[in-house]
Amino acid sequence: MSEKQLEDMIVAASEILHDQWMLIGRQVDTGFGGRIDLLAIAPDGALILIELKRNKTPREVVAQAIDYATFIEGLESDRIAKIYDDFAPGHNLADDFKARFGQALDEETLNESHQIVVVAAAIDASTARIVRYLNERDIAINILCFQVFANGDEQLLSRAWLIDPAETQTNATVTPAREKEPWNGEVYASFGHDEKGRLWSEARQYGFISAGGGTWYSNSLNLLNPGDRIWVKAPGHGFVGVGRVKGKAVAASEFKLPSSAGEKAALEVLKGHYSNSGEADPDRAEYFVPVDWLETVPLEQAVQEVGMFGNQNTVCKPKTPKWRFTVDRLKQKFPNYNK
């Protein structure tokens, strides 16, 4: 399969790239002699620059992608809207974003961060080495390898990431280079409370955090390890608790909770509406992480102050003074954080 054919296939079915990315541009002119193969947007407004390797050398493809990233970094909302209009004439980016992700596009957070994805037919050692080096230094870059296999008259497409996409997703968390500092060891977690969906009261009662509805939301749970201390924020409310992780993330069908009839699968016990598509589509299933709460508060007592850190990633490990400031303040508000 040629990379032109692969590009056409991605445009026709963008979910083969990622189930929570929305394509917004193709062959985007950078204005300095280059064209970005594909441009996508994530639920938090982050942009994803997608570059096909074609026949370029490892140094060429990585250097070109980083060069194009300098163009992406400076894009304002009106220019992004124009790129989408060229890609989907007659469509409106804000309207289509809301239809795709179920939430309004916030111009304040649009393109606050970005990541680079190199798409290739094979991962050579040199490119892998360069990309790993950059990613370990918080440059959000990854390689997605596609291979085609024949099965009779059918063509089967396999997909493999060089690096767990949850890592590059969270590396793209907004931390300008001038503001970076060593990670303070404290983990940020977002719990998407919704009166018609996940319930913070149940997470408090049973000891867990969860995410689902797409790998963009659930994959970052895999960054958590037993013993990690997490500071949990309910978007739209504020910080609601601090706890220690007790185990790795597991699918809802494997997560057990106590009931009057003994232990049962989580979704048989909980009253909230959690993603329940594990059998039909594991990528959209709900995943749970057990937590030993050190201190929590109900939503109406959530802690939110000017200057506190916030992010739509379910889990991240921020390296910014804003996160250090936030944790220092939260330790005052949750004095049992270290019990």
Side-chain angles (χ1 to χ4, degrees), residues 91 106 116 186 195 203 233-234 236 254 282 284 294 335:
H91 286 247
D106 184 354
I116 302 166
E186 309 283 352
E195 293 297 340
K233 185 174 185 178
E254 301 174 39
R284 301 190 67 80
L294 301 171

Side-chain angles (χ1 to χ4, degrees), residues 7-82:
E7 182 178 323
D8 290 340
M9 184 181 293
I10 292 170
V11 171
S14 61
E15 62 272 13
I16 68 174
L17 275 177
H18 196 293
D19 65 341
Q20 290 293 316
W21 289 351
M22 171 181 156
L23 285 182
I24 63 169
R26 182 180 190 183
Q27 296 300 314
V28 178
D29 188 355
T30 63
F32 46 81
R35 288 183 176 274
I36 297 167
D37 289 330
L38 296 167
L39 187 63
I41 190 169
D44 63 347
L47 297 184
I48 301 95
L49 185 164
I50 301 154
E51 192 64 19
L52 276 66
K53 188 173 183 293
R54 304 191 189 278
N55 295 316
K56 295 184 280 287
T57 68
R59 288 179 178 82
E60 285 176 334
V61 69
V62 173
Q64 185 178 69
I66 292 174
D67 186 22
Y68 291 168
T70 65
F71 165 75
I72 293 297
E73 186 176 40
L75 288 179
E76 300 290 344
S77 58
D78 57 342
R79 182 71 177 94
I80 296 169
K82 178 62 169 59

Side-chain angles (χ1 to χ4, degrees), residues 215-331:
T215 56
W216 191 90
Y217 301 100
S218 59
N219 270 359
S220 61
L221 290 174
N222 295 322
L223 301 179
L224 295 174
N225 293 299
D228 286 345
R229 183 162 58 197
I230 58 173
W231 299 86
V232 181
K233 185 174 185 178
H237 299 274
F239 285 90
V240 289
V242 56
R244 291 279 183 187
V245 173
K246 295 170 62 179
K248 296 292 289 183
V250 296
S253 59
E254 301 174 39
F255 190 63
K256 308 299 182 183
L257 291 176
S259 73
S260 57
E263 281 198 341
K264 289 187 175 183
L267 298 186
E268 294 180 26
V269 177
L270 299 172
K271 296 179 180 178
H273 297 283
Y274 301 77
S275 298
N276 188 18
S277 58
E279 293 184 5
D281 185 358
D283 284 347
R284 301 190 67 80
E286 191 82 10
Y287 289 82
F288 289 78
V289 173
V291 177
D292 180 12
W293 294 120
L294 301 171
E295 188 171 355
T296 63
V297 295
L299 290 172
E300 55 269 20
Q301 295 177 27
V303 177
Q304 183 60 46
E305 298 178 356
V306 174
M308 280 190 164
F309 181 86
N311 193 269
Q312 290 190 49
N313 284 289
T314 303
V315 171
C316 63
K317 300 175 180 180
K319 300 177 182 179
T320 169
K322 178 179 280 192
W323 178 235
R324 175 167 45 83
F325 162 78
T326 300
V327 171
D328 288 345
R329 289 292 296 154
L330 291 175
K331 285 179 177 179

